Amino acid sequence: MAPPRTFPTMSAAESAAFVGGVALPTWAKGIIIRRKAATALAERLDVDARAVRQMQRLRATYGEGPLLVRNPIRPQAILLRSEDVRRVLDGAPESFTPASSEKRAALSHFEPHNALITRGPERAPRRAFHDAALESNCPVHHLAGHWTGIVEAETDAILARAGSLGEIGWTTVFEGWFRIVRRVVLGSGAADDRELTDMIARLRGRANWAFAVPINRRLRAAFHERLASHLARAEPGSLAAVVARMPGAAAAEPTQQMAQWFFAFDPAGMATVRALALLLAHPQALARARGEAESDAPRSDLPFLRAALVEALRLYPTTPMVLRQTTRETEWTEGTLPAGTGILIFAPFFHRDDERLPNAHRFAPEAWLNRDPAHAPPFLPFSAGPAACPARHLVPMLASMVLARLLASGRRLVLCDPERLDPARPLPGTLDPFTLRFALPAGA
Ligand code: HEM
C-alpha cells in the first residue's frame, strides 16, 4: 500500500543520494561481518562523518519527523528525532518488530530461530533465554569472579605473543579475545576450537549478502552440531553450565540463541580495541584508566574502563543501522505509515550530531559513569527498549577486564599512527579497528 502523500518524502534524487551516501557505505563495510578492505577505505573517505552531514541536511530540509525514502520495494522511513527513536524501540516487538525482512534474510544464514528475527509468541521465551543466561539487568554477572582468571591468563598470552613482534594488532587481539569468549561461553574445553569461530565467520560472510546468496545448510548444520557438542559438556563456570541448569532452556533452542553470542562478541572485540586506542590517545583519560587498572578494585567493578568501552561504541557504533518494521498502521504527526514499513535508525547520526551535541566528536568516557547504556537517549550503543542488547552489561564488564590487564601489565603500550586519533582535532567519523596497532617499546 502506498503511504499517504502528506508524509514527508525525499525526492528521487535525494533518495538516490541517501542510498549512495548512507545505506550503501554501511552495507559495503559489511553489516553482519566487516569486510576489511572496505572498512579501511571507509576510514580514508570518512564515510560516516559524511553520512551524518547528509542526514543533517535532510533534517534541515524536511524537519524532524520521520522521512520516507523513495523505495520501489516497500515504504521505508528514516528517523531524525530522538523521541521517535524511543517510541519505535519501546514499541518492540508489538508495533515495531525487530524481525525486519532484511534482518531475517541475513541472520537466517546462521540462526533462523534466533529471538531477534522471531515474530509472534515464540519470541518471548527466546528473549527470556538471553536475559536469564546473560543476566541482562545485572551490572556484574554471577560468574565474573570465575572469568577474571581466564581473562587475565588470555590477555597475558596476547602480550606474550606480541612481545616477540614488538607490537599488538587486530589478529593477535582477535585470537586471544575469542579464546576468552569460547572459554566464558562454553568452558576451557572449547578454548582451542578456532574452527567453531571460523565456521560462524564463513556463515556471516554469506549473511552479509542476505537474500542474494543461498543458505549453506550443511555448514549451518555442522556449526550447530559442533556448538551443541560443546554445550553438552556443561562445563562448570561457563555459560553452558548456566544454560544446562536453566528450566525450559531446550524449548528456546539454545544453539540458535547462542549463535548470536558468537556473532556479537566479534564487534565487542572491535570496540575493545577502539577503546584501547582512544585511551592511549588521550593522556588524561589514560591516567585515570591506569589508576583504576592498577587499583585493588574487583575486576568486575571498573567503572571508568567500562565507560571507555561504551564511549568507544558511541563514537563508533558497531550496530550502525538499527532496523525495525511496522506490524500495523502507525500514526505520526506527519501522517500514517502502513503496516510493513521499514524503519531505519542510523545510530551515527544520533551519536555524532554536532548540531545538537556540544562534544559530539570528543572522547568523554566520564559521561557514561554509572549510566545504563540502554537508557541514554539520544544514544543507542546497545539499542533500547524490550529488544535492547541483553549483553549490555556483560560486554563492558569483560572488555574492561581485558583493558585493565593490558594497561596494568607493566609493559608500556603506545598507539602507532597516533595522528589518526589526534585529541586536538575532532575525532574521525570512522575508525578501522583492523589496522590499529599498539607498540610495546623494548624495556618500557
Ligand atoms: C559491542 C558489542 C555489542 C553491541 C554494541 C551490541 C548491540 C546490540 C544491538 C544494537 C542490538 C539490537 C539489534 C537490533 O535491534 O537489530 C543487540 C541485540 C542483541 N544482542 Fe547485542 N551487542 C553486542 C554484543 C553482544 C553480545 C556479546 C551478545 C551475547 C553474548 C549479544 C546478544 C544480543 C542479543 C541476543 C540480541 C537480540 C535481542 C532481542 O532480540 O531482543 N550482544 N545488540
Side-chain angles (χ1 to χ4, degrees):
M1 193 204 332
R5 291 179 56 186
T6 52
F7 220 98
T9 305
M10 291 179 208
S11 67
E14 282 165 334
S15 297
F18 173 82
V19 171
V22 180
L24 211 58
T26 308
W27 176 84
K29 275 190 282 173
I31 301 277
I32 305 296
I33 190 167
R34 295 289 182 271
R35 300 178 176 103
K36 290 189 176 166
T39 307
L41 184 64
E43 181 178 328
R44 275 205 295 286
L45 302 177
D46 210 14
V47 296
D48 291 281
R50 287 167 192 253
V52 170
R53 287 196 291 274
Q54 204 168 331
M55 300 276 291
Q56 289 171 330
R57 285 195 295 275
L58 288 170
R59 178 174 60 194
T61 309
Y62 291 99
E64 310 253 329
L67 179 60
L68 284 168
V69 188
R70 276 181 207 276
N71 178 349
I73 299 167
R74 62 149 198 230
Q76 176 66 52
I78 60 169
L79 300 188
L80 297 166
R81 179 163 51 201
S82 178
E83 291 76 9
D84 291 340
V85 171
R86 197 71 225 184
R87 173 184 170 195
V88 166
L89 296 179
D90 283 347
E94 288 80 15
S95 304
F96 303 98
T97 177
S100 66
S101 308
E102 54 283 76
K103 210 185 293 174
R104 287 174 77 147
L107 298 187
S108 290
H109 281 272
F110 57 95
E111 50 183 28
H113 299 169
N114 188 266
L116 192 51
I117 52 167
T118 303
R119 293 183 186 164
E122 282 176 319
R123 178 180 152 79
R126 292 176 183 173
R127 168 72 204 201
F129 173 94
H130 296 283
D131 286 327
L134 304 173
E135 299 179 6
S136 57
N137 288 318
C138 303
V140 179
H141 196 282
H142 82 277
L143 290 174
H146 184 85
W147 295 336
T148 307
I150 292 176
V151 172
E152 293 187 348
E154 295 295 349
T155 309
D156 289 350
I158 292 175
L159 286 163
R161 275 198 293 278
S164 52
L165 300 167
E167 66 175 38
I168 302 180
W170 171 253
T171 311
T172 315
V173 176
F174 178 85
E175 283 290 316
W177 173 251
F178 262 95
R179 283 181 61 84
I180 294 172
V181 169
R182 290 189 297 265
R183 292 180 70 181
V184 162
V185 177
L186 301 171
S188 296
D192 295 326
D193 193 357
R194 286 176 54 180
E195 178 65 15
L196 184 77
T197 311
D198 290 349
M199 285 166 111
I200 191 162
R202 276 186 278 148
L203 290 165
R204 289 167 59 207
R206 298 179 76 80
N208 266 349
W209 295 94
F211 310 94
V213 299
I215 289 171
N216 183 337
R217 288 172 200 277
R218 268 179 59 179
L219 181 57
R220 188 175 72 183
F223 168 74
H224 281 274
E225 268 168 40
R226 201 171 179 114
L227 190 51
S229 70
H230 283 299
L231 206 48
R233 284 197 319 276
E235 222 181 286
S238 71
L239 290 173
V242 174
V243 169
R245 286 195 306 270
M246 197 191 291
E253 299 181 70
T255 69
Q256 290 283 334
Q257 308 315 318
M258 294 168 80
Q260 174 76 14
W261 303 359
F262 282 92
F263 157 27
F265 266 122
D266 185 10
M270 292 176 203
T272 308
V273 167
R274 289 190 179 115
L276 178 63
L278 287 159
L279 285 168
L280 293 176
H282 292 81
Q284 270 187 342
L286 181 61
R288 188 163 175 185
R290 278 224 171 93
E292 191 174 85
E294 287 165 1
S295 74
D296 296 334
R299 302 295 86 177
S300 55
D301 182 21
L302 301 168
F304 189 73
L305 286 166
R306 283 187 186 221
L309 188 280
V310 182
E311 176 69 346
L313 285 170
R314 179 192 67 87
L315 289 162
Y316 304 106
T318 53
T319 311
M321 288 190 173
V322 178
L323 304 176
R324 294 288 183 265
Q325 198 164 310
T326 57
T327 57
R328 53 181 79 143
E329 273 194 354
T330 54
E331 296 300 328
W332 306 77
T333 319
E334 294 75 12
T336 306
L337 288 179
T341 302
I343 304 228
L344 165 63
I345 302 167
F346 186 60
F349 170 64
F350 294 98
H351 290 197
R352 295 290 204 107
D353 184 3
D354 52 12
E355 292 177 354
R356 301 285 159 90
L357 303 165
N359 292 317
H361 309 304
R362 303 242 159 267
F363 177 59
E366 50 288 342
W368 291 101
L369 285 170
N370 305 317
R371 195 172 179 195
D372 185 331
H375 295 100
F379 308 120
L380 51 142
F382 289 100
S383 185
C389 180
R392 65 183 174 276
H393 295 303
L394 180 68
V395 166
M397 189 191 84
L398 288 172
S400 63
M401 287 179 177
V402 171
L403 292 170
R405 193 66 173 181
L406 289 171
L407 294 177
S409 71
R411 295 292 308 272
R412 195 163 65 89
L413 283 171
V414 179
L415 175 65
C416 306
D417 309 323
E419 63 286 355
R420 282 169 76 182
L421 291 175
D422 180 354
R425 288 185 295 150
L427 288 168
T430 311
L431 181 64
D432 169 17
F434 307 120
T435 51
L436 286 172
R437 291 175 304 118
F438 309 96
L440 292 132

